[in-house]
Structure formats: C-alpha cells, structure tokens
C-alpha cells in the first residue's frame, strides 16, 4: 500500500484496542525470565561451543606478530581464528571500519581473534594465551585539537552538512541582544543491559545467526557484504532485544567473529561481548563542540541564529548531526548551520538514541535559557514567541502537525512554572539550593517502508509475522493492538511473531521510526486481509464491518474464523511511504520541566521532579509510550549529570568501560516523572496517524536540568556532564 496522501477516516480511528494502555504482551515472559535473549537460545541448535573474542590492545597501528600456539593447545580449544587464517573477511558499507582487525588495527579493542572451546571458561582462559606484538602508531584522540583539521562531511542531499538562509553575520550584528557561546557534550555509551551476543550456525554456505539486533534486514545485507555470499544465504533471528539505543542498528563483531569461529570449529558457537569490551569494541555517541550564536530583538523575536557543530570519527565516518534541529525549531530570518568532522582514532562513533537532536538540544536549549536571561524574558515565553508553523529554511514547507506551543503552555501549567524566580539562587531549603529549568523537545519523525504477513485461522486466531524488532519498546504490543483493531478481535486473539528474516521485511527499530512505520505495515496487510475476506463472503470491501470477532455485511454476521474458511487466509503487504515526508516537515515536539536541588556546600545535585508534555501524533499505547518517554527522560538525566566516556589521551581508549565506572542513573537518582501526551493525530505521518516517541523524551531533557541547576545556584555549566568539579569552585560566588 502506498501512503502518499493524507490519511482519511479509517478503521484505526475506532480506537477500541489502539490507543489503550494495554500491558505488554511479552511482559510476563520478560519479567519471569522466559523471553530467550540471543545468548540463551540453547534450544535452537545442538552442540553449541563457546567463543571468546580478543580485542586489540592498541588504538592504532598493526599486529607485527600473533602467536596462537599455546591457545590452540589449551584444554578444550576447538579453533582459534585470527586475520591469518580467517580467509577473506570484508567490510560492510554500513560499518565504518572492519569488525575484525588485523594486521591493521583501527581502534582499541577491535576484535583480532576468537577462541572457540567446549566451555566458556576454556575459551576465555585460552584467549589469555594468545601473544600479540604490535607496532603502535600515534593516533589522534582529542576532539578539540583535531578540530583544526576538521572537514565538511558529505551528508545526504536532503540534509546537507551546511545550510544558509539570509545573511547571518549582518543579521546578528544588527540584533539588539546577542548570545555567542560554546558548549560541549562528551562521548557517551549506549550501555544496553543485554550485551552484543550471537549464536552462529553454518549449514554448508548458509549461515543462521540468533543475535541481538535492531535492523534484521540490514544485518542480513551486512553479513552478505562481509562474507561475500548472497543475502539469501543468511538468516537473522532477533526475537528479543535487551536494549539497543542505536548500538545494535548494525551488526557488530560478535556476529562476524561468531560466524568465523563456527566455520573454523565446524560447530555452532555462541559469543557475547564481555561488558568491559563493549565500550571500546562497539560504537558510541561522539563528543561534540557546539558554537551557538543567536541575535534577537528586545521583544525576543530571533533575527539571526547560527549553530556550528564539531565532532570526530574514524576516517570515512559520519558526524554527530547536532545542528540539524536548529534548522527547524525556531523562527528567524538570518540563519546558518554547519557540521564539521574531525578524524579521530577512537572507536567508531555512531547513532545513539536521538542522534543529532539529543546532543544538539543539550547545547541549543541552554543557549535559549541564556538568551532569555539576557532579554529578561521568561524562557517559556521566548520559545513561544519564536514558534514557527513552517520550515524556517524553506517557508513554503509547513509542518505536518506542530504543537510545540501547546506542550510549552500545558507543561508550564502542570509544573507550576509561574512560581519560578527568574533570579538564580533565591530558593534555599536548609543546605539545598532549589531551582527550576525547562527546555523544548524536538525530534524528527522518519518513516520507513514496512511489511507484514497476516494469517487468520479458521479458529478466528490472528497471526502477525514481520521482521520488526522489539528492543524493549513495546513493538509486540502495538503491532498486536493494530491487528486486533483492524480485524475486530480482542488483543488476546492475536499472536505476534517478530525478529526473523524469514518474515516480511519491516522498518526495523531505529530513529524512533519503528512504532509508527511497523504498525502502518500491519495496517496495510490488514487492509488487504479485510478485502480478501470481503471477497470471500461475497461483499464489497467498503460494506464489511469487523467487530467482536464477527464479519458483518448486508445484515448478516459470520464469525471471523468461518469467514476465512477451513484453510484460513494469509496475506502480505508493505506500507510504502511516498512524498508526504518531503512535502511536509515531520517532527515530534515536547517541553521538559525540571526541579533540582544543589547542595550549597558540596555541589551534589539531586533532581527532584521532571515533567514532560509531548505531542507525537496518535499515541498507540499510552502505557508503552510513557515507558519510552520516562526511559528517555532518565537517559537525559544521565546525560546532564553523569554520563561521560573518558578518553585516555595517551592510548586512545575509553577508560571507564563498564557499568561500575560509566555512570548511568539508578532508581535512587530518578525522581517522580510526570508525563502528558497531547491528544492529537497527524494525518500525514501514516494511516496510523502516529509518530515516534522512542527518542523524543531524551531530547532537551538534559538542558532542562542544566538550566535548573543554573536557576538553583547561579553556576552556568556549558560542558556536560554537570559534575561536582564544574559546580563547587563557583558556588560561593553565586
Ligand atoms: Mo536509534 S540511535 O536510530 O536506534
């Protein structure tokens, strides 16, 4: 089904199942430990051996000599694979560097060997017996230093690296109030609970992997490119994923090394990246340096706005697109944005939850707070004054639906924003300085073609099959709800099977496109099923009503199972997104409010309340959507106060490479989180009229907290995270 004109009234609008806060249909399996994650799939193939990956101990250079003899002779060892005996191992276009290194080393902990043994312990012990001599080269690890040689990266035609409208410099020079500040965000780790893990089994030249991956079809394509075999030779299964956040958009070394190890051992094997390997072996969110200049009139109207962002990556990599939202968020006649990319020899930088906006709004929304202060204006009001209903870079293009102002107003009211003191440091409760802050939330809404297969059995049961993944987001549930709504059955009658490349190709999970896109694919397949059933009962498709497990037409009523006949019916379709995404700017919006307390002596920061109001089209399931948003707000809290992958500038690796040293918020750090979704639909986003929510909640959350810290204690921190060392020295001066 093509989707290229705005959606009209359709069966989803009935809202009997869709839009209701159903519990996750996979919830019991997950909470009782019965949802099998990749490493636990002992049932899928017999005779599994264990693989352990050895990572490079240098960041740049080459392997001069690698001696595996002792490892090969160790007890239980079945195979040791290095670049010397692996055969030809290519690089998928989507991977910036090879997932198996050697002799050339691209980054620290790049996989250089896999040891396969009868037991995990034997494999791990033997991996310590591999002796490697390196020829190390000096790498570039410091972003600030590398910006001197940064270049303009090549990005997509629709979102080029630079944009210019009007004349920024002269507009800025003329503005009554000017802000010019530079902000930094650090490297961050996705830190998903489930490590990258794969079971690999070859059958001749056909490979099946049970793995943890967000994008089944991309994984298949990338395996094909890596091993030089046709895509059809690869089956990828990823039924449950314990968090991805972008770290599993593409295959990682666990998949490639498992395939190599299994081939060498002549056995299926299972491999997981050990927690301390993940941060340097896999990808991270790249650090940024962002300069923002905004010039405004005395009434707050922005005249000129510029956002420049520098980030680094391996050669051939991509920038963190931190200035993108500044093209769309606020009005202003004279504008410019630019992204510059420095070459670094750190591990591969890549997408992490809301790539671009998450980092970009950390900077932009502090800048707006600073501008509001300079204008002596309420920060909420400043954002309202600069709202735009059209793309400010291309005023002929309007937003498909935009209610940022509604989020700001309702958020301010719910939070009690009117009780804020504009002057910092005014509210003291014992040893605590208390303050409030806010920020806008913005995240683009992307749509990806997505297919599904629907089967209705003669027993009236509905089965949905699609290679869509559920990375903890609720895909199983919203897909089930969609099929139930479309075919007029309760959710309990629907079985949802996900994450298998044998099923129709879906949108996969990424960029918060999965919920809207994959359910739209199910919608398309269900429309086809409805037509097929109508034909079967001899009615016209527009005449038939699907309700309460019955098919009603021409005054008659037939049970759904009877209508499809004894053999049942199976149909398949794909939603294909057309020009609406280009004709309209599509995005999701929100407003964050936070209250923090800062210890006047120690600088300890406690977030006391977070409140968010979001506008993201139809909310398919308020319960799973809320979970997404509070998870993302929590991640925003982590970004504000804790998260930072610390680079060792001598050896070029992330020092704090485990969950003991890479700090993320725990329950005790997270306050009450209040979430409201505005009641809206977006008829240009899909027949579901929904948009993404998985990433929106992180966007702006960190800045709201940083702004609240300033309001509490008068210390303006522009370099994330807001750790004590950046607060304490300035506290008494506040
Ligand atoms: Mo997302 S960072 O595209 O999984």
């Amino acid at each position: 089904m093509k989707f290229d004109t705005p959606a009209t009234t359709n069966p989803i609008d009935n809202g009997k199942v869709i839009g209701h806060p159903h519990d996750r249909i996979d919830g019991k399996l997950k909470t009782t430990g019965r949802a099998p994650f990749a490493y636990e799939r002992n049932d899928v193939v017999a005779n599994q051996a264990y693989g352990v990956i050895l990572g490079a101990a240098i960041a740049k250079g080459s392997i001069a000599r690698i001696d595996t003899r002792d490892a090969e002779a160790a007890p239980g060892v079945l195979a040791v694979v290095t670049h010397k005996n692996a055969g030809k191992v290519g690089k998928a276009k989507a991977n910036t560097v090879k997932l198996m290194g050697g002799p050339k080393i691209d980054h620290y902990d790049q996989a250089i060997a896999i040891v396969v043994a009868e037991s995990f312990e034997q494999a791990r012990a033997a991996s310590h017996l591999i002796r490697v001599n390196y020829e190390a080269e000096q790498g570039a690890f410091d972003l600030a230093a590398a910006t001197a040689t940064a270049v303009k990266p090549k990005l997509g035609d629709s979102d080029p690296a630079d944009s210019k409208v009007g004349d920024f410099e002269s507009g800025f020079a003329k503005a009554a109030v000017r802000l010019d500040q530079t902000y930094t965000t650090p490297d961050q780790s996705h830190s998903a609970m489930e490590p990258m893990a794969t079971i690999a089994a070859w059958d001749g030249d056909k490979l099946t992997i049970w793995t943890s991956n967000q994008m089944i079809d991309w994984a298949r394509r990338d395996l094909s490119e890596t091993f030089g075999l046709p895509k059809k030779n690869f089956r990828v299964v990823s039924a449950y994923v314990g968090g991805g956040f972008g770290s599993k958009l593409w295959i990682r070394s666990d998949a490639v090394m498992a395939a190599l190890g299994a081939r060498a051992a002549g056995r299926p094997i299972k491999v997981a990246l050990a927690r301390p390997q993940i941060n340097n072996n896999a990808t991270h969110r790249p650090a940024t340096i962002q300069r923002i200049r905004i010039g405004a009139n005395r009434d707050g109207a922005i005249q000129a706005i510029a956002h420049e962002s520098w980030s680094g990556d391996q050669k051939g990599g991509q920038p963190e697109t931190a200035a993108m939202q500044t093209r769309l968020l606020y009005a202003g006649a004279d504008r410019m944005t630019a992204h510059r990319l420095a070459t670094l020899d750190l591990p591969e930088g890549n997408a992490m939850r809301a790539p671009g906006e998450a980092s970009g709004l950390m900077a932009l929304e502090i800048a707006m707070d600073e501008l509001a202060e300079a204008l002596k204006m309420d920060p909420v009001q400043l954002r309202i004054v600069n709202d735009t209903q059209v793309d400010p870079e291309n005023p002929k293009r309007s937003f498909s639906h935009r209610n940022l102002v509604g989020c700001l107003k309702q958020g301010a009211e719910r939070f009690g924003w009117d009780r804020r003191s504009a002057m910092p440091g005014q509210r003291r409760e014992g040893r605590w300085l208390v303050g409030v802050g806010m920020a806008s939330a913005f995240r683009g809404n992307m749509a990806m073609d997505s297919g599904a297969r629907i089967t209705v059995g003669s027993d009236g049961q509905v089965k949905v099959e699609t290679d869509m993944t559920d990375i903890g987001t609720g895909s199983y549930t919203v897909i089930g709800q969609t099929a139930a709504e479309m075919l007029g059955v309760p959710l309990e009658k629907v079985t949802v099977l996900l994450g298998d490349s044998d099923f129709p190709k879906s949108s996969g999970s990424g960029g918060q496109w999965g919920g809207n896109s994959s359910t739209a694919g199910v919608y398309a397949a269900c429309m086809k099923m409805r037509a097929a059933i109508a034909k079967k009962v001899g009615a016209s498709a527009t005449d038939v009503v699907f309700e309460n497990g019955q098919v009603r037409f021409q005054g008659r009523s037939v049970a759904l199972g009877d209508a499809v006949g004894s053999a049942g019916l199976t149909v398949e379709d794909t939603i294909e997104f057309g020009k609406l995404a280009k004709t309209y700017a599509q995005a999701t919006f929100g407003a964050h409010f936070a209250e923090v307390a800062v210890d006047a002596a120690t600088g300890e920061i406690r977030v006391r309340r977070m409140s968010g109001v979001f506008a993201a089209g139809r909310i398919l399931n308020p319960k799973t959507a809320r979970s997404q948003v509070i998870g993302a707000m929590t991640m925003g809290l982590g970004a504000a106060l804790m998260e930072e992958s610390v680079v060792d500038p001598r050896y070029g690796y992330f020092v704090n490479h485990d969950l003991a040293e890479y700090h993320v918020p725990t329950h005790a750090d997270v306050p009450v989180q209040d979430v409201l979704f505005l009641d809206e639909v977006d008829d240009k986003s899909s027949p579901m009229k929904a948009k993404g929510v998985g990433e929106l909640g992180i966007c702006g959350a960190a800045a709201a907290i940083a702004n609240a810290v300033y309001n509490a204690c008068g210390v303006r921190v522009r370099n994330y995270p807001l750790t004590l060392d950046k607060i304490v020295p300035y506290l008494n001066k506040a």
Side-chain angles (χ1 to χ4, degrees), residues 57-64 105 133-139 141 650-651:
I58 60 166
K60 188 179 184 179
S62 59
I63 296 172
I105 301 298
N133 294 95
Y134 296 99
E135 273 165 21
E137 294 166 30
Q138 183 55 49
F141 308 123
R650 300 162 303 170
Y651 303 116

